[in-house]
Amino acid sequence: MSDDPEQADPPPTVSRRTLLTTGAVAGVIGAGVGVGGAALLWSQPRGVWYQPDRSGAPPVGGLHLQFGRDAGTEAVVSWHTTDPVRNPRVMLGTPTSGFGSTVAAQTRTYRDAKSNTEVRVNHARLTGLTPDTDYVYAAVHDGTEPALGTLRTAPSGRKPFRFTSFGDQSTPTLSKLTDGKYVNDHIGSPAAGDTTVAIERLAPLFNLVNGDLCYANLAQDRIRTWSDWFANNSRSARYRPWMPAAGNHENELGNGPIGYGAYQTYFSVPDSGASAQLRGLWYSFTAGSVRVISLNNDDVAYQDGGNSYIHGYSGGEQKRWLTGELDAARRDPGIDWVVVCMHQTAISTAKANGADLGIRQEWLPLFDQYQVDLVLCGHEHHYERSHPLRGTLGTDTRTPIPVDTRNDVIDVTRGTVHVVIGGGGTSKPTNGLFFGDLRCQVITGVGELDPATGHKAPIYVMEDAPWSAFRDRENPYGFAAFDVDPGAPGGNTSIKATYYGVNGPYGAVRVLDQFTLTKPRR
């Protein structure tokens, strides 16, 4: 595979879509659904998500995929409406044989506290799938056209694959009329749509979204904002799972016990065994030899950044779960790589949000103890990565210690690499806010309520940042791709990381940073 995206091989989604228009659609016809859904495969909705068809039933809105805990055998197909629907279901098959089974969807609901509107989200859980296999599916409910998609399951065991990651996206939709002009009321920009196209162009097995998905908590119309986000990203998320982490802007006042009711309803992520009100806020899944762990940092971060201040909301439940997950991963002989996906960060050299001492206190000792390989964050709207880190200096801010300064090939047995990838598309990038020298402002607590922001004012302490390895001052938007190479028995396994800047429409990208993580194969 070429490193130059302009010379890259055609994404595998192209061939799967071609198959959909042949054998798979024949399966749809045979199932008595009709061929109208085939056109939906090529549709690219832009903010308009509700338009009743002739029968009056709402269409399938925001079609998207998630993996189950075993990404080789489990997945979930999800879509939403605000009107009740009958018999929501997914027809499943293969590209060559068409649809051979039907899976009933379960419906979850939440009522948005701001608009008093109820949203219904249908989740069809697919189990017993074959690893490393292409599937086709059609999501449908009575009285509407089917919406088609494809899914490739993860490999079982040590096989190569690619995943991507970014955070802080928002939407490209212009939605609020001000002084005769339409503007975005939740800090989105056209780049939010460009990022989606770029992800689909690289055709990863899955994409990690590192928090602050759509910024609905800032919007006048939360439901519209969520729907616009799904409409934009369904262009990719119906073909490959987009696996989320909850950020501070998923915290919406009045929606659920701690503000995450919308997020918890829209997504059906792997079960972590959490109590009912905490369902879906942290989870893990396994793809090949990689264990991905998704965390919710509002539980431990000091910063007040959502619609309500919920520091410490789990009472230690998330930390106990994380400790068990890390221990289990390191005891599993089939797991070579542990990747953590979360929102707020332990590192940043920009005068923006800064690093958070709460994360350093709660998570970093566990990352050291269990030798986490890679941590992916957002929150800061730029790109920055650290040297491999292990232990802390004797400072009040618990400054992480860089254990190696080589920039191209990194031995992760020596330390954990942190990568901030928060340039997903907002209208407020922070790549222009880097300090001139390597310095970091660390949030150590909060003070009184600041009337200007509506949040408790952060308390900062400054520190030197010898741990910073690379920061992109020039480009506001981008994402990272990670190519997993399992290596050979007795040798090394590696992950080649490439950071791509998103440069305009149609998914145009260019390489801005590359590095390779390596370690002995277990």
Side-chain angles (χ1 to χ4, degrees):
M1 182 179 296
S2 171
D3 293 337
D4 182 357
E6 299 294 341
Q7 303 298 323
D9 297 331
T13 48
V14 173
S15 60
R16 292 207 292 273
R17 294 181 190 183
T18 301
L19 288 167
L20 266 172
T21 61
T22 55
V25 168
V28 174
I29 298 172
V33 177
V35 297
L40 296 179
L41 179 65
W42 304 98
S43 67
Q44 297 186 0
R46 293 182 179 274
V48 179
W49 73 283
Y50 180 80
Q51 183 178 358
D53 68 1
R54 294 176 183 175
S55 72
V60 171
L63 184 64
H64 65 282
L65 292 166
Q66 302 112 106
F67 273 138
R69 183 169 175 83
D70 179 355
T73 62
E74 302 168 342
V76 179
V77 180
S78 304
W79 68 101
H80 64 265
T81 68
T82 55
D83 288 346
V85 299
R86 299 185 307 273
N87 192 22
R89 61 201 183 276
V90 163
M91 293 174 292
L92 180 68
T94 64
T96 54
S97 62
F99 300 119
S101 62
T102 299
V103 178
Q106 295 184 337
T107 302
R108 295 181 186 171
T109 66
Y110 80 97
R111 185 171 294 278
D112 177 56
K114 193 170 185 178
S115 65
N116 198 36
T117 300
E118 188 172 58
V119 177
R120 298 163 173 82
V121 187
N122 306 298
H123 301 287
R125 184 170 301 278
L126 313 179
T127 60
L129 304 175
T130 303
D132 208 15
T133 299
D134 285 325
Y135 287 90
V136 295
Y137 68 89
V140 69
H141 46 259
D142 288 354
T144 194
E145 299 282 0
L148 306 184
T150 63
L151 165 69
R152 184 167 186 86
T153 52
S156 177
R158 292 177 170 88
K159 292 184 179 180
F161 66 87
R162 169 183 290 170
F163 66 95
T164 52
S165 176
F166 69 89
D168 303 81
Q169 185 181 22
S170 197
T171 81
T173 313
L174 299 179
S175 53
K176 177 185 175 185
L177 192 63
T178 301
D179 297 330
K181 297 181 180 179
Y182 282 96
V183 299
N184 189 296
D185 63 357
H186 47 281
I187 68 169
S189 79
D194 302 335
T195 301
T196 302
V197 177
I199 291 293
E200 187 57 22
R201 185 179 182 194
L202 265 68
L205 179 66
F206 59 88
N207 179 51
L208 299 175
V209 190
N210 308 330
D212 283 4
L213 281 59
C214 66
Y215 297 81
N217 75 326
L218 301 180
Q220 290 185 349
D221 187 336
R222 294 169 173 173
I223 294 175
R224 182 215 66 230
T225 303
W226 275 108
S227 297
D228 288 349
W229 189 81
F230 280 112
N232 174 45
N233 290 328
S234 183
R235 295 179 291 164
S236 177
R238 67 171 59 193
Y239 305 121
R240 59 203 75 253
W242 281 42
M243 304 298 291
N248 53 289
H249 284 288
E250 275 65 73
N251 178 273
E252 301 170 5
L253 189 64
N255 282 358
I258 54 173
Y260 288 101
Y263 173 89
Q264 292 170 291
T265 305
Y266 282 116
F267 294 100
S268 180
V269 295
D271 182 24
S272 66
S275 54
Q277 70 175 15
L278 305 180
R279 179 187 64 189
L281 296 181
W282 54 82
Y283 63 92
S284 69
F285 67 97
T286 301
S289 60
V290 178
R291 176 72 49 80
V292 177
I293 298 176
S294 180
L295 301 176
N296 176 230
N297 283 353
D298 281 286
D299 188 19
V300 300
Y302 285 119
Q303 186 180 22
D304 179 9
N307 280 165
S308 58
Y309 191 50
I310 55 172
H311 174 79
Y313 70 80
S314 82
E317 183 176 339
Q318 182 175 197
K319 186 175 183 179
R320 290 188 293 273
W321 173 86
L322 174 60
T323 302
E325 279 294 308
L326 291 172
D327 183 69
R330 285 310 180 210
R331 292 176 183 273
D332 189 335
I335 301 298
D336 291 325
W337 297 95
V338 175
V339 176
V340 170
C341 172
M342 61 190 198
H343 185 57
Q344 295 94 331
T345 181
I347 65 142
S348 173
T349 60
K351 190 174 178 58
N353 294 301
D356 199 291
L357 180 60
I359 295 168
R360 293 182 174 185
Q361 291 171 325
E362 298 296 324
W363 292 166
L364 264 57
L366 292 175
F367 296 169
D368 285 351
Q369 179 181 352
Y370 292 102
Q371 298 186 4
V372 169
D373 301 298
L374 179 64
V375 176
L376 305 175
C377 302
H379 200 50
E380 303 287 75
H381 301 172
H382 60 247
Y383 175 78
E384 182 171 16
R385 66 175 167 91
S386 76
H387 294 298
L389 308 178
R390 187 79 81 227
T392 59
L393 297 173
T395 63
D396 291 341
T397 55
R398 301 199 178 190
T399 309
I401 299 174
V403 294
D404 193 1
T405 57
R406 183 173 178 180
N407 248 337
D408 53 349
V409 179
I410 301 169
D411 179 2
V412 289
T413 64
R414 302 190 61 191
T416 303
V417 173
H418 292 244
V419 187
V420 180
I421 324 169
T426 77
S427 59
K428 294 185 177 181
T430 58
N431 63 300
L433 300 178
F434 284 115
F435 291 110
D437 53 359
L438 293 182
R439 303 171 63 210
C440 175
Q441 60 180 22
V442 184
I443 300 172
T444 60
V446 293
E448 297 300 320
L449 187 70
D450 182 352
T453 65
H455 296 146
K456 295 181 179 181
I459 299 171
Y460 292 110
V461 174
M462 299 302 300
E463 69 174 13
D464 292 333
W467 36 258
S468 183
F470 182 94
R471 48 188 185 167
D472 181 14
R473 293 176 176 272
E474 304 300 323
N475 301 275
Y477 303 115
F479 66 96
F482 300 90
D483 291 296
V484 180
D485 181 353
N492 281 355
T493 178
S494 65
I495 296 180
K496 182 178 180 180
T498 304
Y499 178 66
Y500 294 97
V502 177
N503 302 101
Y506 313 116
V509 298
R510 63 190 182 101
V511 175
L512 300 175
D513 183 34
Q514 286 187 318
F515 59 97
T516 299
L517 309 178
T518 185
K519 64 191 302 186
R521 174 167 154 164
R522 295 183 68 181

